[in-house]
Amino acid sequence: MRDEVREQATTIIARIPEGRVTTYGAIAKMTEGATARSVGALLRLLPEGHTLPWHRVVAAGGRLADHDGARRQRELLSAEGVVFDARGRIPAHFFWP
């Protein structure tokens, strides 16, 4: 991912309000060249101690992506008031923008 696209993606992620989520693909569409996979890679490679709200980025369909931090992600989202349905999906009214 080019530096300017990385900066666009991190700026968008930083603006996701507390208690709201968006998808990897939605972030990619708001940039000039990122893909959903490259957004995921960007988040995966964040350094320890970063302040970017990575937990507010979810997979298409409102599910948490299958990764090592999924349990922590669910805890952080739940603490912000985000709920999950019986199938583990986040209802549409929690999506931003």
Side-chain angles (χ1 to χ4, degrees):
M1 182 183 297
R2 296 184 333 263
D3 288 343
E4 59 270 12
V5 176
R6 183 179 301 110
E7 186 175 331
Q8 290 171 5
T10 57
T11 298
I12 293 163
I13 294 165
R15 291 182 178 161
I16 304 168
E18 185 174 321
R20 304 292 296 278
V21 298
T22 195
T23 65
Y24 299 98
I27 292 167
K29 287 178 185 175
M30 290 184 240
T31 68
E32 297 173 0
T35 64
R37 286 181 187 241
S38 67
V39 172
L42 168 72
L43 293 175
R44 212 173 25 257
L45 298 173
L46 288 171
E48 191 72 31
H50 68 85
T51 59
L52 205 62
W54 62 273
H55 60 285
R56 297 178 187 150
V57 184
V58 300
R63 293 184 178 271
L64 299 185
D66 185 22
H67 56 78
D68 292 341
R71 185 172 63 187
R72 178 71 178 137
Q73 183 177 19
R74 187 177 180 118
E75 291 170 356
L76 291 168
L77 289 172
S78 294
E80 292 183 357
V82 175
V83 298
F84 296 81
D85 68 17
R87 296 173 75 183
R89 295 183 193 165
I90 298 169
H93 66 275
F94 286 101
F95 280 78
W96 172 90

